[in-house]
Amino acid sequence: MDKTDRQEFKTVAKFSEPVPAEIVAGMLRDNGIPAGVFGASSPYPCLNYAQPIEVKVNSDDYEKAVSIIPEEYRMQEE
């Protein structure tokens, strides 16, 4: 397995509702950045406050993604 087979993901935004997470992920995809929504499959939406819905991108795309998404949704780099 070479380096291209292992991709690290970084969280760029966290949400308690799935719709805004999908909107931000779509905005990133529209700008050429592959993005995924993680944690939105809970049948109990109230649990998303304890386990937030995360939008993640490839670590190589993190800086560009952060510059695109609205500031109120941005994560601070860990």
Side-chain angles (χ1 to χ4, degrees):
M1 178 184 292
D2 65 13
K3 186 177 187 318
T4 59
D5 292 337
R6 290 173 275 145
Q7 186 59 250
E8 290 185 34
F9 298 109
K10 290 186 84 170
T11 301
V12 292
K14 289 185 180 181
F15 300 89
S16 59
E17 299 286 328
V19 173
E22 292 293 346
I23 291 170
V24 167
M27 183 185 320
L28 293 171
R29 290 183 205 118
D30 287 347
N31 283 281
I33 300 173
V37 177
F38 295 80
S41 61
S42 172
Y44 304 103
C46 63
L47 294 179
N48 291 332
Y49 290 102
Q51 296 263 327
I53 298 167
E54 298 180 339
V55 176
K56 296 183 181 223
V57 298
N58 295 328
S59 59
D60 294 343
D61 295 325
Y62 180 82
E63 293 299 324
K64 184 177 178 186
V66 168
S67 72
I68 291 171
I69 63 174
E71 188 172 343
E72 64 266 21
Y73 300 126
R74 294 180 192 167
M75 294 291 302
Q76 300 300 315
E77 187 159 6
E78 298 169 357

